[in-house]
Amino acid sequence: MAFTENLDAFLSTDDFAVVCALGSSSFNGILESPHVQALDIGGAQPVLHTKYSNVSAATNGTAITVGGTSCIVRSVQPDGTGMAMVGLELSA
């Protein structure tokens, strides 16, 4: 028997998650926004953690809204557990 976990329990907006939108779909994800130094020098890209099924169709350049902020997908990396790390870039 395969082990299954309700991943939505980890993505509650009552805790750390924010509402995201990709196309006409909305879902929850946890934004990891690293510190960016002055003048955007030495910064790291923000990463969204969400269920892979939420972002499986996204490719490099896909528009996504994360917590009300417009971003662009730079990478989608499934982690093998049903979750994915999505590399983001803020839209200009």
Side-chain angles (χ1 to χ4, degrees), residues 9 19 31 35 47 53 62 66 87 90:
V19 177
L31 179 63
H35 174 72
V47 175
S53 61
T62 301
V66 179
L90 297 178

Side-chain angles (χ1 to χ4, degrees), residues 46-85:
V47 175
L48 177 69
H49 300 271
T50 191
K51 293 191 304 186
Y52 177 66
S53 61
N54 294 332
V55 293
S56 61
T59 59
N60 186 13
T62 301
I64 187 171
T65 303
V66 179
T69 300
S70 296
C71 300
I72 297 189
V73 172
R74 289 296 168 213
S75 65
V76 177
Q77 302 171 11
D79 70 0
T81 68
M83 297 290 287
M85 296 185 315

Side-chain angles (χ1 to χ4, degrees), residues 6-17:
N6 178 7
L7 298 175
D8 291 321
F10 300 106
L11 299 170
S12 171
T13 56
D14 291 338
D15 294 320
F16 302 106

